[in-house]
Amino acid sequence: MVNSNLNLLMAKKKIRSLSELERRLKSENLYISRQSLHKIYHSTALDNTRLDTVLKLLSFFNCSLEDLFIWSSR
């Protein structure tokens, strides 16, 4: 099972909402739909997440894949 750490990464950057995250991404010319951000934030349908979306988040947060996602054996 894969879960997202997006909430922790947002907290480190003092981003309080998905709307604020979307605005800050756009200000850096990184466009991710609010629906995609919502799915990642709530760890729903992560298997359908596009690679370019993940890469944009990794770039924005300057983090690794292991920082963004948690793998568990459950």
Side-chain angles (χ1 to χ4, degrees), residues 1 4 6-7 11 14-15 19 22 25 33 35-36 38-39 42 44 53 55 58-59 62 67 69:
M1 175 179 233
S4 167
L6 185 56
N7 61 334
K14 296 182 170 57
I15 299 173
S19 296
E22 183 182 23
L25 286 164
S33 72
Q35 181 182 12
S36 293
H38 185 270
K39 286 180 181 180
H42 293 287
T44 57
T53 299
L55 293 174
L58 296 179
S59 174
N62 191 28
D67 296 327
F69 296 110

Side-chain angles (χ1 to χ4, degrees), residues 4-45:
S4 167
N5 270 334
L6 185 56
N7 61 334
L8 298 176
L9 294 171
M10 288 170 60
K12 287 181 183 178
K13 281 200 169 213
K14 296 182 170 57
I15 299 173
R16 297 178 187 211
S17 69
L18 292 176
S19 296
E20 182 181 349
L21 175 58
E22 183 182 23
R23 281 192 302 275
R24 294 201 31 200
L25 286 164
K26 283 182 183 176
S27 74
E28 295 192 20
N29 293 319
L30 300 170
Y31 298 95
I32 302 174
S33 72
R34 190 171 309 199
Q35 181 182 12
S36 293
L37 292 172
H38 185 270
K39 286 180 181 180
I40 294 169
Y41 186 88
H42 293 287
S43 298
T44 57

